[in-house]
Amino acid sequence: MATENSPDYVAAQWIARIDRSSLTPQEEQALKEWINNDIRHKGAFLRAQAVWLVTQKARALQTPPPSVAVYQPTHAPSRRLFLRSAAAAASFGLFAIASKTSEASTQYTTLKNILHCRQSAGQELILDCYSQVDEYSELTRMVYGRCLVAGAQRAVKTSQLRFVINGRLLLYKDANYESGIVMDGHASVQGQHRSQYKTLSAGEQITRNSAGQLHFSYLDAAALARLSAWTNGQISLDTQTISEASDIFNRYNQKQLVPSFRLADYRLSGLFDLSKPDIFALAVKSVLGARIREDGQHIYLE
């Protein structure tokens, strides 16, 4: 429960005060100082905003200054009702993730590159090529592509999947499906209703397709290593054909691999550097007897 001295209770008091009328300059300054005084205060304030939105079920307007960042709903519930809701969220704050916040975010977008972002000790974000992530102070939102998020009590979401992680989570999102794989530690994933959640351990995966169907599966250590090899700038080949492997290399490099019809269906296993398609080409030459021919933009495997 939130006590009268807890950050969650104080945040709820501020939201209720903002709803009654605009803050005075002195009150705005006091709120700014309270938020900046402790990182827990900022988190409590964001949770209070999320509870406000859930309680309202109405569109919010971002009218105060960005440094204050609060929502002002068009139809406010009673102050007593809101404080009860905020207190309940404090005891079950796991999934109090706002669908929108007025907090400024940092947008990371990649093309033919892998991006490593270390925000703080124990918290990390790695983006695969052709990916986009919006990063907030307490929330990571996967827009499209693939990323790995590491942190403690970190809120992570795609369009339809919502997690709170303690460890590392591998996310993938495209037009057809979204998935999350726990690489290590554990993650709580929210169900269809806010009161429903499931805890996933290392190796467990949840997938949601475009029809809204959920599928749970388990991956062994070898599969996890293959799927996360890209985070170290590597590709782990096992069952891929030369044609499929070339497609993967070509996503990361300007110089494109072009396998011949003769070699396209052959397979080559091993761990390779994603940024060095020429080394992969030499392996194909050594193992499969390929002939290598190059121009400025291509490496032909014949």
Side-chain angles (χ1 to χ4, degrees), residues 58-69:
R59 187 168 61 185
L61 300 176
Q62 300 176 14
T63 52
S67 56
V68 178

Side-chain angles (χ1 to χ4, degrees), residues 10-26:
V10 175
Q13 294 279 355
W14 274 114
I15 293 294
R17 168 64 188 87
I18 290 168
D19 177 62
R20 291 197 301 271
S21 62
S22 300
L23 297 180
T24 66
Q26 293 79 12

